[in-house]
């Protein structure tokens, strides 16, 4: 297979007559979506380049942008979206069937984008169909549903890894820098962003890396605050229970028993996947003196109550139903869930964010079995 042209070749110098004042002209022929507003945006800067509203079924949109800038083409009111690098080659887009023709580089970008988009749409449909089932149907099909979702996750990650592996000498991975940051583990993502490959220096990649660095700095601060709380007394707060009655944490913590405080939400997939471990810990150690208090980040009471029942969570539950604005978020620096803290009989926080085997090992250490 012919190699895609590298970034060094696709420079302003090789695009004879295409560059002017440091910018490259582009021309996009758009078919379909008559009357729809089509927006072209620089992905790296999120700056609008051009917007077109035309009642004709076919229109031509032209303009200028930096050489090899990554440009997104979207409809104002939703619908299919496209990506192309501004390499000086005219492109044609058929919004109706989702096809893009142009340079080999841009056609390959949209092949990958179409593949990932198909998985995302299938994922959304599977979740929607599962939610539409009755509780009995959900329970009966839970294992099949989980297997389906896990298979989609694996397919998505495999394609993201292939995008990097198959394109070491061109810019294509830059078009998927955000997907890469969200999909790969920390070490693999770090390797991608610190690579010497052409895509790592593209503005679209650098923009994602800047956001990622900022996010990691915030997480580091949050983690430091969490760790600083270990060895200190819990912070009291007040929230209603499932029947609307107000309770303070101090009614349950610092009362002579070990308490596991679980920060979760019915809509949180990782929380639901972790819950069997919490349930098992409760069943094993509650008779020995362990209590659990669930502090939910829900904002839908019906969904909250349903999850408590479906997941078999027979402990104390509190929530002000304010989602991420819940009082627990600021009180304990909770910016992601699931999260937790283990509080000793005197009300001192001894551990944060115990999960799975770590939770079981810590409780076994405490209760001696």
């Amino acid at each position: 297979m012919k190699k895609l042209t590298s970034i060094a070749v696709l420079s302003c110098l090789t695009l004879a007559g295409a560059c002017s004042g440091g910018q490259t002209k582009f021309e996009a022929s758009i078919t379909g979506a008559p009357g729809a507003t089509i927006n072209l945006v620089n992905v790296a800067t999120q700056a609008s380049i051009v917007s077109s509203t035309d009642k004709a079924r076919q229109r031509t949109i032209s303009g200028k942008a930096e050489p090899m800038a990554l440009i997104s083409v979207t409809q104002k009111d939703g619908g299919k979206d496209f990506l192309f690098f501004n390499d000086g080659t005219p492109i044609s887009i058929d919004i109706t069937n989702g096809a893009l023709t142009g340079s080999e580089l841009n056609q390959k970008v949209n092949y990958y984008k179409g593949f990932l988009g198909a998985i995302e749409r299938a994922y959304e449909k599977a979740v929607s169909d599962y939610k539409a089932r009755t509780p009995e149907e959900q329970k009966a099909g839970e294992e099949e549903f989980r297997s389906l979702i896990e298979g989609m996750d694996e397919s998505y990650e495999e394609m993201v890894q292939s995008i990097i592996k198959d394109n070491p000498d061109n810019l294509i991975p830059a078009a998927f820098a955000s997907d890469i940051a969200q999909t790969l583990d920390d070490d693999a993502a770090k390797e991608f962003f610190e690579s010497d490959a052409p895509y790592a220096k593209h503005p679209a990649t650098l923009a994602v890396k800047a956001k990622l660095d900022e996010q990691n700095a915030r997480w580091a601060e949050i983690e430091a605050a969490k760790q600083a709380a270990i060895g200190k007394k819990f912070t009291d707060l007040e929230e209603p229970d499932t029947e609307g009655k107000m309770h303070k944490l101090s009614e349950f913590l610092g009362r002579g028993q070990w308490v596991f405080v679980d920060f979760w939400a019915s809509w949180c997939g990782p929380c639901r996947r972790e819950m069997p471990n919490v349930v098992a810990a409760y069943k094993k150690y509650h008779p020995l003196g362990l209590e659990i208090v669930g502090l939910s980040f829900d904002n839908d009471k019906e969904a909250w109550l349903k999850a408590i029942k479906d997941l078999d969570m027979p402990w104390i539950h509190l929530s002000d139903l304010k989602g991420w604005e819940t009082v627990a978020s600021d009180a304990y620096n909770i910016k992601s869930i699931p999260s937790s803290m283990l509080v000793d009989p005197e009300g001192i926080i001894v551990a944060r964010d115990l999960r799975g085997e770590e939770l079981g090992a810590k409780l076994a250490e405490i209760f001696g079995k």
Side-chain angles (χ1 to χ4, degrees):
M1 179 177 173
K2 187 177 74 174
K3 279 188 176 181
L4 296 177
T5 310
S6 70
I7 185 173
V9 177
L10 285 173
S11 66
C12 184
L13 295 176
T14 62
L15 295 172
C19 294
S20 174
Q23 293 194 322
T24 300
K25 297 178 181 178
F26 64 81
E27 184 173 283
S29 176
I30 311 291
T31 302
T37 299
I38 305 296
N39 296 314
L40 275 66
V41 174
N42 185 314
V43 173
T45 64
Q46 288 300 296
S48 177
I49 300 174
V50 65
S51 181
S52 169
T53 302
D54 197 317
K55 293 183 179 180
R57 187 174 180 280
Q58 184 167 352
R59 70 187 93 167
T60 297
I61 302 175
S62 59
K64 294 180 181 179
E66 292 76 12
M68 301 309 296
L70 181 63
I71 300 174
S72 69
V73 181
T74 61
Q75 295 182 59
K76 182 179 180 181
D77 300 319
K80 296 182 177 67
D81 59 299
F82 305 83
L83 290 171
F84 71 91
F85 286 103
N86 188 27
D87 59 6
T89 303
I91 63 168
S92 296
I93 295 174
D94 190 326
I95 290 179
T96 304
N97 61 25
L100 180 147
T101 57
S103 66
E104 183 181 1
L105 184 76
N106 285 324
Q107 289 184 172
K108 196 169 183 182
V109 166
N110 281 275
Y111 163 74
Y112 288 130
K113 183 169 176 55
F115 190 98
L116 295 178
I119 296 176
E120 290 171 351
R121 290 190 293 275
Y123 187 101
E124 291 171 359
K125 185 178 187 305
V127 172
S128 177
D129 290 346
Y130 184 75
K131 287 182 177 180
R133 299 178 185 177
T134 65
E136 293 76 16
E137 290 172 335
Q138 287 184 355
K139 189 171 183 179
E142 183 176 357
E143 186 174 341
E144 180 184 358
F145 172 71
R146 183 179 292 113
S147 178
L148 176 63
I149 293 300
E150 288 176 353
M152 291 180 185
D153 286 340
E154 289 176 3
S155 295
Y156 197 94
E157 182 172 348
E158 286 174 1
M159 176 54 76
V160 166
Q161 291 175 335
S162 293
I163 290 171
I164 302 172
K165 180 181 178 181
D166 297 343
N167 299 281
D169 61 348
N170 63 69
L171 297 179
I172 287 176
F176 304 95
S178 181
D179 302 273
I180 290 165
Q182 296 177 48
T183 304
L184 302 186
D185 61 37
D186 291 344
D187 289 340
K190 182 179 180 181
E191 182 179 349
F192 169 79
F193 286 106
E194 294 182 357
S195 168
D196 291 329
Y199 55 72
K201 306 299 185 290
H202 189 276
T205 302
L206 296 177
V208 174
K209 184 179 185 299
K211 290 181 180 179
L212 192 62
D213 289 344
E214 182 181 347
Q215 175 181 298
N216 287 338
R218 288 200 303 269
W219 287 130
E221 291 177 3
I222 292 167
E223 186 59 30
K226 285 184 179 182
Q227 294 304 314
I230 294 176
K232 297 180 180 178
K233 189 173 182 179
F234 72 92
T235 299
D236 206 3
L237 56 82
E238 188 175 33
E239 290 188 319
D241 63 15
T242 57
E243 296 180 351
K245 182 180 178 180
M246 298 300 294
H247 291 278
K248 290 185 176 181
L249 271 185
S250 53
E251 295 176 36
F252 314 106
L253 278 60
R255 298 279 180 165
Q257 62 185 348
W258 285 89
V259 182
F260 182 74
V261 181
D262 188 29
F263 304 94
W264 73 292
S266 66
W267 46 260
C268 168
C271 300
R272 298 181 75 106
R273 289 192 290 273
E274 174 63 18
M275 205 54 69
N277 294 322
V278 182
V279 171
Y282 182 82
K283 290 180 177 179
K284 184 174 182 178
Y285 295 107
H286 181 62
L288 301 178
L290 175 70
E291 188 56 85
I292 295 180
V293 176
L295 296 181
S296 172
F297 282 54
D298 274 279
N299 50 26
D300 183 326
K301 186 171 184 178
E302 184 177 342
W304 176 44
L305 298 179
K306 184 177 183 300
I308 292 171
K309 179 181 178 181
D310 292 348
L311 298 172
D312 187 23
M313 303 159 64
W315 49 79
I316 301 156
H317 290 279
L318 306 177
S319 181
D320 52 19
L321 298 174
K322 294 182 179 179
W324 285 107
E325 300 302 317
T326 177
V327 65
S329 178
D330 289 336
Y332 290 102
N333 288 295
I334 307 299
K335 305 304 179 186
S336 68
I337 52 176
S339 186
S340 64
M341 64 183 185
L342 185 62
V343 182
D344 75 7
E346 285 71 47
I348 304 301
I349 300 170
V350 300
R352 295 293 300 259
D353 295 338
L354 294 173
R355 293 196 206 178
E357 293 181 0
E358 287 185 347
L359 173 60
K362 186 64 177 180
L363 294 177
E365 175 190 323
I366 292 168
F367 292 100
K369 62 178 294 185

